[in-house]
Amino acid sequence: MNIKKDDKVIVLSGKDKGKQGKVLSADPKAMKVVVEGVNVATKHQKPMKQGQDGGIIKVETPIYVSKVQLVCPKCGKGTRVGHKIADGKKVRVCKKCGAEV
């Protein structure tokens, strides 16, 4: 999985197509990511502690990683991710401009 936490991504398909956001969490086993402001669901929550308010809250739910694409910090567009070895470390590279991600 080429998408990691704190990456900026763009949504490719679905009801939120075209939206950009930061990855809040990534689950490589399920191949899903949670992106802020994308795939928001309403949840009815009871108060858990005395004095706490219950109500309807909005929660970001996971989407498949195949529906998002990494946004290159240099070109600012959605791009595929390549890999190369630099200084003995494997780094992610933008396929469009060649910049390190």
Side-chain angles (χ1 to χ4, degrees), residues 17-76:
K17 181 178 179 177
K19 284 189 180 178
Q20 290 189 7
K22 190 174 95 174
V23 176
L24 300 175
S25 69
D27 183 8
K29 197 169 186 180
M31 295 296 282
K32 291 188 176 191
V33 290
V34 176
V35 182
E36 76 177 336
V38 174
N39 201 24
V40 178
T42 55
K43 179 180 175 182
H44 297 264
Q45 189 171 24
K46 284 186 174 182
M48 295 297 165
K49 299 175 189 163
Q50 194 166 2
Q52 182 182 0
D53 290 335
I56 301 170
I57 59 170
K58 298 202 179 284
V59 179
E60 287 103 356
T61 56
I63 59 173
Y64 284 106
V65 74
S66 61
K67 292 187 174 198
V68 298
Q69 194 172 41
L70 190 68
V71 175
C72 176
K74 187 177 176 190
C75 26

